[in-house]
Amino acid sequence: MATKKTQTLLLLLTLAALSISCNAGIGDITTYWGQNSSEPSLAEACSRGNYDIVVIGFLHKFGNFQNPEINLAGHCDPTIPHDCAKISPDIKACQSQGIKVFLSLGGSEATLVSTEDAQWLADYLWNNFLGGSSSSRPLGDAVLDGIDFDITGEPTTLYWDELAQMLYDYSQYSQQEQGKKVYLSAIPQCPYPDYWIGKALDTGLFDYVWVEFFNNQRCQYSNGNAINLLNSWEEWTSSVPNATIFLGLPASPDAAFSGGYLTPGQLVSEVLPYVINSDKYGGVMLWNFYFDNISGYSSEIRNVNLESLPAGHSSAIKASA
């Protein structure tokens, strides 16, 4: 006969199992913060309880051995020494809730001109945003969790794979010496392979890839039809090694200048039943927090129970295209 203590333990285990089953949610939700001065603070973004990863954008000026510069669209003034360091407590507040915080690289003044330039940038990122040390850390003493590659339209497609390798090497060192991994992520456009960072993604060093399934008719949801998106999803998940793949979606119609918006209901009924079949599915990336704060998209999808969705088969979608 089971003792009262054993019965209590079994009850707790049963309740835990039921809780896990009932909270089989949409996966992780990522968003970008820092590109609209009208959006709430980073700390408030994280306090909503909707996000698992928040990407700060952007380090918009770097490469060619120029002095890197961050642009947070009015949240702070990078021309004033240490002004952006006031965001450090917000970063730590997010991390205390288990939310990873990355820094995104990308902008009109972003380039790499040589292997040496890539190494210089890797060293700069390590010492100024990650586990290294510098007297000029733009975001203060908070140690970010990863680096994101938003490389689109830059002057060159070269050396991004080398930068990824260098940051990966820093991650290996960081894990051994500090017990903290440096995550690598990227936000390619949905046509495969990505023109700018396709070679970098082929390294298999990226942890997360949030594919931008909008602003491109070839591979976005359009006119109530998900076929192009789903076929592109199949290509990405079958081609990119190692990474967890996210559906990158606009958080409102205004967030996509060339279309690709689908409502939370359309996402749940027409797309999720198919993409969740991939073992590389990780969740949804919403562009961006400013728009999500207005639309409430993340709140609508946060507690979707994937186990309740009907089974879908992407191969059937591909065959009907």
Side-chain angles (χ1 to χ4, degrees):
M1 179 183 241
T3 65
K4 187 173 183 180
K5 184 175 180 180
T6 301
Q7 290 173 332
T8 301
L9 178 59
L10 289 172
L11 176 61
L12 290 173
L13 290 172
T14 301
L15 290 174
L18 288 172
S19 175
I20 291 171
S21 175
C22 291
N23 290 290
I26 197 168
D28 288 345
I29 298 180
T30 297
T31 196
Y32 281 71
W33 176 91
Q35 283 304 291
N36 194 299
S37 60
S38 298
E39 67 191 352
S41 69
L42 176 62
E44 185 170 342
C46 291
S47 71
R48 302 290 173 85
N50 290 341
Y51 309 117
D52 301 277
I53 302 171
V54 176
V55 184
I56 296 175
F58 291 94
L59 189 73
H60 78 116
K61 180 179 178 181
F62 61 83
N64 201 17
F65 302 100
Q66 64 182 318
N67 186 37
E69 185 176 289
I70 198 166
N71 180 347
L72 299 184
H75 286 286
C76 62
D77 188 344
T79 66
I80 300 175
H82 307 295
D83 187 56
C84 293
K86 63 189 178 186
I87 297 172
S88 187
D90 287 24
I91 296 170
K92 294 177 182 178
C94 294
Q95 293 170 327
S96 71
Q97 299 167 63
I99 300 168
K100 300 181 182 71
V101 183
F102 297 175
L103 173 68
S104 189
L105 312 177
S108 59
E109 299 179 77
T111 188
L112 291 175
V113 298
S114 65
T115 298
E116 293 73 21
D117 192 25
Q119 186 64 66
W120 190 94
L121 179 59
D123 295 343
Y124 174 83
L125 293 170
W126 170 254
N127 288 317
N128 287 277
F129 296 101
L130 301 169
S133 60
S134 168
S135 61
S136 60
R137 292 175 68 94
L139 298 179
D141 62 355
V143 178
L144 296 180
D145 298 288
I147 299 296
D148 177 68
F149 288 48
D150 187 0
I151 309 302
T152 303
E154 276 66 21
T156 180
T157 62
L158 303 176
Y159 310 112
W160 304 113
D161 56 332
E162 295 185 34
L163 177 62
Q165 181 64 60
M166 294 162 184
L167 291 171
Y168 177 80
D169 292 342
Y170 266 126
S171 180
Q172 296 295 98
Y173 168 81
S174 180
Q175 285 180 281
Q176 293 172 5
E177 300 297 324
Q178 302 173 352
K180 184 177 176 68
K181 176 180 172 62
V182 176
Y183 292 90
L184 294 180
S185 67
I187 177 171
Q189 297 182 3
C190 53
Y192 183 87
D194 185 83
Y195 177 75
W196 283 277
I197 56 170
K199 186 177 179 182
L201 295 176
D202 286 343
T203 64
L205 300 176
F206 285 78
D207 301 284
Y208 304 105
V209 177
W210 9 87
V211 182
E212 192 175 302
F213 290 105
F214 55 99
N215 292 335
N216 198 303
Q217 289 291 332
R218 278 180 54 189
C219 40
Q220 68 186 23
Y221 186 88
S222 181
N223 298 319
N225 193 320
I227 289 176
N228 288 345
L229 186 157
L230 294 174
N231 285 341
S232 180
W233 171 264
E234 283 287 291
E235 194 165 24
W236 278 96
T237 54
S238 63
S239 303
V240 177
N242 302 329
T244 298
I245 312 294
F246 281 57
L247 279 167
L249 302 172
S252 78
D254 293 336
F257 58 81
S258 296
Y261 176 76
L262 61 162
T263 67
Q266 289 167 331
L267 170 64
V268 171
S269 64
E270 300 178 44
V271 175
L272 285 182
Y274 300 94
V275 302
I276 61 174
N277 290 320
S278 171
D279 57 7
K280 288 186 177 179
Y281 172 78
V284 175
M285 183 282 290
L286 293 175
W287 179 266
N288 57 29
F289 176 64
Y290 169 77
F291 295 104
D292 186 40
N293 180 57
I294 296 171
S295 69
Y297 202 113
S298 63
S299 295
E300 291 195 50
I301 66 173
R302 173 78 273 183
N303 294 316
V304 169
N305 186 350
L306 298 185
E307 292 183 350
S308 68
L309 297 180
H313 300 284
S314 296
S315 58
I317 290 293
K318 195 177 187 84
S320 66

